[in-house]
Amino acid sequence: MKRFIRPYSFLLYLLASITFFFLGMFYAGITDAAKGQGLAGGAIVFGYGVISAFFALLISIFLVYKASRKTILTVNKVLGLITAGFLLYFTWRYYTQIEA
């Protein structure tokens, strides 16, 4: 039971939720899920992000239960790199759209 409240476990919960939130929003953008929906488009994209973050949180809780500490730390490193990549991509995309 102590494994669920360790700092590396909390970091896994946070990184998995953030990473898959971005991944869900990115998926909605690629598939044009909100195309032609007007003002509801933003809510649709946000909904994809929230749903994928929720499932990632459930999977990360299961991973903490089953995996070793070393595996969790490795997954944290990978999720941290992916999250940094998404943040850089969305920042770059924001600044290139304003200049155009």
Side-chain angles (χ1 to χ4, degrees):
M1 206 58 189
K2 286 185 177 180
R3 299 177 84 184
F4 291 110
I5 56 173
R6 299 277 183 193
Y8 57 84
S9 297
F10 281 129
L11 184 62
L12 178 66
Y13 305 148
L14 179 69
L15 284 174
S17 297
I18 291 172
T19 302
F20 281 88
F21 178 77
F22 281 131
L23 190 63
M25 290 179 62
F26 190 70
Y27 174 76
I30 288 176
T31 59
D32 287 332
K35 189 174 184 176
Q37 298 297 321
L39 289 175
I44 291 170
V45 172
F46 182 73
Y48 271 72
V50 169
I51 289 170
S52 62
F54 175 73
F55 284 118
L57 180 62
L58 292 178
I59 291 170
S60 65
I61 290 171
F62 180 74
L63 182 67
V64 167
Y65 179 70
K66 289 289 187 181
S68 67
R69 180 182 184 270
K70 185 177 179 181
T71 304
I72 293 170
L73 292 175
T74 304
V75 171
N76 281 344
K77 290 176 187 176
V78 170
L79 288 175
L81 289 174
I82 293 171
T83 301
F86 274 121
L87 288 173
L88 288 173
Y89 170 74
F90 286 123
T91 303
W92 171 77
R93 191 168 166 207
Y94 175 76
Y95 282 116
T96 55
Q97 284 183 352
I98 288 183
E99 293 174 6

